[in-house]
Amino acid sequence: MSDTSQDGAVAMSVPPSPDEGLTPAQLAAKYNLSVSGARPGFGEYVRQLWGRRHFIMAFSSAKLAAQYSQAKLGQLWQVATPLLNALVYFLIFGLILKAGRGMSTDVYIPFLVTGIFVFTFTQSSVMAGVRAISGNLGLVRALHFPRASLPISFSLQQLQQLLYSMIVLLVIIMAFGNFPTWSWLLVLPALVLQFMFNTGLAMIMARMGAKTPDLAQLMPFVMRTWMYASGVMFSIPEMLDKHSPLVADILQWNPAAVYMDLIRFALIDGYGADKLPPHVWLAALLWAVVVGVLGFVYFWKAEERYGRG
């Protein structure tokens, strides 16, 4: 279509666009367009994660192998670090502060070492979760994959590290007269439940850490406080026998104490059921399911925002 102007020039008029007046949503529907990086539905997200299961396993194993690659002792530090912590805590809390009241030395040392190994599993999972997104922005921005793969991989890495450490833990347990019994099998469901709890908590911290990277600087203080409140170095009922029963109950029912006590009960002959809070297995299951599911949903809700901004 053309029009002739007064000076004889020909001006071409552009026909109206067929998309004129359509909203962005209508344009997307018309041309079957989708938002890049949009959050998939919950069921689809779970299916995508299952499809990346080999990546999750390989990534966690690679991270574990690289963790101490620059150290001369290499992977031995996986075991040496909690053992050195146990030695320091035994000297301070066991010998000086007498925190093992109500327990003989043959019970207190396995009690202490087990608590440190088990709490370190949760502590390391949380700390790795905080940096899962903010510490891997290059990977997040370069590749399209379910972001929950990262905190799950880091939790799995800590589980693998704990399983290596358990070999040394069992040697120490047996050195103090605790030999294998059927109760040792209870360690397996306790670790499964703790892994579910740790993974949910890691995903919560991963979302928070992605938005606030400075959280990584605060978390060591939070975790140290949690450790002191969870009975890693002392028996909560014995230490708080003269305090309000409510305080002792709150500390015993916190998830870190629950999982530590279950594994201590399974492995240590002198640590009986009287040391456990009532319905402790139900508490362990509830902590695992509630934190695991809520953590996963909480992380999934912000899927499209990771790595942006």
Side-chain angles (χ1 to χ4, degrees):
M1 180 181 297
S2 62
D3 293 320
T4 303
S5 61
Q6 293 180 352
D7 57 2
V10 177
M12 302 297 297
S13 61
V14 179
S17 169
D19 298 331
E20 187 176 350
L22 296 180
T23 65
Q26 291 170 332
L27 286 171
K30 179 178 179 179
Y31 294 104
N32 295 319
L33 302 177
S34 60
V35 179
S36 177
R39 183 186 71 205
F42 187 81
E44 176 61 24
Y45 192 68
V46 173
R47 284 191 290 272
Q48 289 180 11
L49 268 178
W50 177 249
R52 300 300 196 283
R53 61 190 182 278
H54 301 298
F55 163 76
I56 293 173
M57 292 291 297
F59 188 75
S60 64
S61 299
K63 283 290 185 179
L64 181 63
Q67 186 171 359
Y68 298 104
S69 60
Q70 301 300 317
K72 291 185 178 180
L73 295 180
Q75 303 301 315
L76 289 178
W77 283 110
Q78 295 181 25
V79 177
T81 300
L83 284 179
L84 290 174
N85 286 333
L87 176 61
V88 171
Y89 292 143
F90 175 71
L91 293 175
I92 296 175
F93 291 93
L95 297 181
I96 299 176
L97 299 180
K98 305 297 182 183
R101 63 182 69 174
M103 291 181 281
S104 65
T105 302
D106 289 346
V107 174
Y108 180 68
I109 292 179
F111 170 94
L112 176 63
V113 176
T114 302
I116 291 173
F117 275 67
V118 175
F119 184 81
T120 299
F121 177 31
T122 294
Q123 181 183 42
S124 300
S125 298
V126 171
M127 294 304 300
V130 173
R131 300 183 178 90
I133 301 298
S134 61
N136 294 276
L137 285 178
L139 182 62
V140 171
R141 291 169 176 170
L143 300 175
H144 178 69
F145 62 96
R147 308 314 188 198
S149 302
L150 293 176
I152 292 174
S153 292
F154 286 117
S155 295
L156 189 58
Q157 173 194 345
Q158 302 309 319
L159 176 61
Q160 291 175 316
Q161 183 165 333
L162 175 67
L163 294 178
Y164 289 131
S165 302
M166 287 289 288
I167 299 173
V168 176
L169 174 60
L170 295 180
V171 171
I172 295 173
I173 293 291
M174 290 188 289
F176 285 89
N178 302 278
F179 297 102
T181 63
W182 288 110
S183 68
W184 281 31
L185 295 177
L186 295 175
V187 171
L188 297 178
L191 286 180
V192 169
L193 293 176
Q194 187 182 8
F195 174 71
M196 291 173 58
F197 170 80
N198 289 354
T199 303
L201 193 56
M203 286 192 281
I204 292 173
M205 301 311 301
R207 175 174 171 177
M208 296 173 65
K211 184 178 180 180
T212 311
D214 288 345
L215 187 63
Q217 308 304 319
L218 176 64
M219 287 310 298
F221 301 99
V222 175
M223 297 305 301
R224 194 174 302 124
T225 303
W226 192 10
M227 179 182 69
Y228 291 143
S230 299
V232 175
M233 290 80 68
F234 56 85
S235 170
I236 293 175
E238 295 289 343
M239 187 64 67
L240 300 180
D241 59 344
K242 296 181 181 179
H243 293 73
S244 168
L246 178 61
V247 176
D249 289 342
I250 292 174
L251 295 185
Q252 271 196 297
W253 281 86
N254 98 72
V258 166
Y259 296 120
M260 278 190 294
D261 280 346
L262 282 177
I263 295 178
R264 285 164 171 164
F265 169 72
L267 297 178
I268 304 172
D269 295 338
Y271 197 77
D274 59 304
K275 304 290 186 182
L276 304 177
H279 309 296
V280 64
W281 280 103
L282 178 60
L285 177 63
L286 288 176
W287 276 119
V289 173
V290 171
V291 176
V293 172
L294 290 183
F296 185 83
V297 173
Y298 178 73
F299 184 90
W300 163 72
K301 286 285 188 180
E303 174 74 12
E304 69 274 12
R305 298 201 295 270
Y306 300 130
R308 299 189 178 187

